[in-house]
Amino acid sequence: MAANPYFKALPPLKEDRLSRELGAYQLSLLSLGYFKTGEIRSIANSSLPCHRIIYVTAGPIRYTIHGSTFILERGDVLYTPPNTIYSAGSAQDHVHPEFLYLYFHVLPHHQEQPFIRMMETAGKIRIFHALRSPVEFYFHTLMEEYEKQRPGYYHKIHSYLMLLVMELLRQKGAPESTVAIAGTDSGSALILNKATSYIAANIHEPLRVSQVSHVCSVSESCLYKIFSAALGMSPKEYILNCKAEYAANLLKGKNMTVTQVARELGFSNPNHFSNAFYKIMGVRPSEYRKN
C-alpha cells in the first residue's frame, strides 16, 4: 500500500515544558463545595492536611498567614499547601464572605515539595486574580458537575482540577524549577516512585523496609541510598511519617479510639504506635486529639 504523502507532511505535536512538568503529578480531589460564612464571622489558627484552592465569590476577606495579613476581593484565588496555619474573617462589618473551595492531595508523595515550589508557595502564599478568566469558568464547571453528578462526572472533575492548576501556572509564567528529583537518575526515580506508591497502597499493613525493597527488586542498602539522596530520610522514617500523617487525619475525625487507629495502621501494640506518633508529631496521639 502506498504511503499517504499528506499524512507524512503533517507537523508532529510536541510536548511543551509546562505539560511535561504537570505530567509528573496526579491530583486527587478530596472535597469541593461552596462556603458561606453565615454566623461564622472568623476562623482562628486553622490548618488542613491537604492542598487548598479557594475562589472568592463575595468579599472582602482578611487573611493572616505566616504573620502577613492581606485582603482577598471577589475574583481572587488563593492556593495554600498542606498544614498552612491561617486565620480568616470578614474585612468589613455586615459583610459575609463566600468562596468556592477545592481540597486535594498530590501524588506520588515524594513529589509534593516540587509541586509546592512550582506553585511558588515555599515560605510565601500565591494569590491570583481570576475574575472573567478561564479559572472562573473551571471553578463553576467543577461545581456544576459535582451538583448534577452526570455519568462521567468524577473523571471530568479531576480533569478540570488539572486544567485549573495549569491555568494558574500560566498566569505566573512557566515554572523555573523542574520536577526532577535532586540527586537521583531516572532509574532511581522509578524505584522511588514504585516504593512510595507501594507504601501508600499498603499504609494499613505493618510495613517493613525488607518488603518494600523486595517489591522494588533492590537491596535494602540501595533503597536507603535512594531515599536518603532524594528525600533526606531513610525508608523506615518515610513509612513512619506517612503513617503519622494518616493517623492524624483519623484522630481529627474522633470516630475511632487511639487503639483502633493503631490497629488500622498495622500496629499490634498501641504503645508502639504512640511512641512512633510522638517521634514524628512531637505529641502523643491522645494529646493531638485533645488539641
Side-chain angles (χ1 to χ4, degrees), residues 34-40 96-99 101:
Y34 187 39
F35 182 83
K36 297 182 180 181
T37 54
E39 296 300 319
I40 302 174
H96 298 285
E98 299 175 3
F99 56 84
Y101 64 84

Side-chain angles (χ1 to χ4, degrees), residues 20-52:
R20 186 168 58 253
E21 295 202 353
L22 284 174
Y25 306 105
Q26 301 172 42
L27 306 186
S28 176
L29 191 58
L30 301 173
S31 181
L32 69 163
Y34 187 39
F35 182 83
K36 297 182 180 181
T37 54
E39 296 300 319
I40 302 174
R41 299 304 303 276
S42 63
I43 300 172
N45 297 325
S46 181
S47 68
L48 294 162
C50 54
H51 300 260
R52 174 174 179 258

Side-chain angles (χ1 to χ4, degrees), residues 166-188:
M166 181 194 68
E167 193 62 37
L168 293 178
L169 291 171
R170 277 180 172 180
Q171 289 194 22
K172 79 179 191 65
E176 295 179 359
S177 60
T178 65
V179 297
I181 305 167
T184 60
D185 55 28
S186 59
S188 296

